[in-house]
């Protein structure tokens, strides 16, 4: 059920990448983090444990699928996964490729920046995003969705 | 295999709460966040997708189990889940009970604080931790661990 006033019930939440019956994946366009994706569960639930075990399994296999494609395409220093939802309590998973040259590494993206942006390195990642989006779509489309 | 120089291979990583063949749960003692737990996978793997699908399922059902017990005991405003590992690239999940009165809410715990600590509210949570630890142990011990 859509919740009145919930941004993720009312809007796509970012650049659409993939959609199936249970969830969608968007690219987040967060400045300085080009490979920042979100998996957004369609139903308005606040917490991961509001899902059934079968739904949790589908959700996290999809998160792992995203992670695998980000690693394959970009060889990031680290992947960061998080479900916070303090501002928008509608279940969504942040899946973020982190690089040792990014503005915040090794701090979390929510901490203060520790260095200036590396424009050429950012451009090199950005150039790969459309191919990465395609790989994510192929990989998520091939995932078993039965629950 | 233990990795030389890895803190989570060499140490427990916090106050021990639960241990089974695949993972352990510790309480993190992060100032201002009494109900801050970590699930630490014993094997030294950096990324969630380094686990097999069966291992991922066990890992996330255990995370959900922790979340359920935190919600039941503390009725937090929100649960925050994260696997970052930028500083210590050994798979661990942060499971954090967040409250609208805590020093950082609604910001992530890694962002700058937005208010002073509420000592009586913190003390009220702290008082429940031993009973919560016990509930977590009972719940995790009852979980199927077959993979």
């Amino acid at each position: 059920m859509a919740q009145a006033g919930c941004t993720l019930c009312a809007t796509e939440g970012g650049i659409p990448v993939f959609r199936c019956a249970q969830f969608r994946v968007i690219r987040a366009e967060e400045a300085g983090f080009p490979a920042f994706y979100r998996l957004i569960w369609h139903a308005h639930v606040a917490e991961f444990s509001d899902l059934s075990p079968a739904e949790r399994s589908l959700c996290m296999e999809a998160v792992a699928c995203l992670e695998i494609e980000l690693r394959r395409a970009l060889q990031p220093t680290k992947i960061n996964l998080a479900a916070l939802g303090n501002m928008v309590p509608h279940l969504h998973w942040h899946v973020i490729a982190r690089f040792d040259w990014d503005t915040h590494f090794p701090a979390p993206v929510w901490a203060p920046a520790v260095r200036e942006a590396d424009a050429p390195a950012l451009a090199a990642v950005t150039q790969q995003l459309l191919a990465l989006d395609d790989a994510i779509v192929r990989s998520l489309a091939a995932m078993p969705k039965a629950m």
Side-chain angles (χ1 to χ4, degrees), chain A residues 9 11-12 22 43 49 53 55 62-64 68-70 72 86 92 97 106 111 113-114 116 141:
Chain A
C9 286
T11 70
E12 187 71 10
Q22 298 88 354
S49 60
E55 289 171 330
V63 166
I68 288 165
E69 294 305 329
L70 265 63
R72 186 174 291 158
N86 303 331
H92 57 283
V114 296
E116 296 290 309

Side-chain angles (χ1 to χ4, degrees), chain A residues 9-53:
Chain A
C9 286
T11 70
E12 187 71 10
I15 299 174
V17 174
F18 177 82
R19 169 176 289 268
C20 66
Q22 298 88 354
F23 63 85
R24 61 191 183 273
V25 170
I26 60 94
R27 193 139 47 68
E29 298 195 284
E30 297 282 350
F33 301 99
F36 192 139
Y37 291 80
R38 289 194 185 103
L39 183 152
I40 303 167
W41 199 257
H42 291 319
H44 184 85
V45 296
E47 303 286 8
F48 182 56
S49 60
D50 290 330
L51 301 183
S52 70

Side-chain angles (χ1 to χ4, degrees), chain A residues 58-79:
Chain A
L58 173 63
C59 181
M60 296 314 294
E61 284 307 288
V63 166
C65 185
L66 270 169
E67 177 176 305
I68 288 165
E69 294 305 329
L70 265 63
R71 295 176 71 184
R72 186 174 291 158
L74 305 174
Q75 294 90 48
T77 309
K78 191 70 191 65
I79 295 286

Side-chain angles (χ1 to χ4, degrees), chain A residues 66-124:
Chain A
L66 270 169
E67 177 176 305
I68 288 165
E69 294 305 329
L70 265 63
R71 295 176 71 184
R72 186 174 291 158
L74 305 174
Q75 294 90 48
T77 309
K78 191 70 191 65
I79 295 286
N80 289 176
L81 305 178
L84 308 179
N86 303 331
M87 304 284 282
V88 181
H90 174 134
L91 182 65
H92 57 283
W93 279 92
H94 305 283
V95 182
I96 314 165
R98 301 296 311 277
F99 298 93
D100 54 12
W101 48 259
D102 76 34
T103 47
H104 290 55
F105 198 88
V109 302
W110 304 281
V114 296
R115 68 180 65 80
E116 296 290 309
D118 180 336
L122 278 173

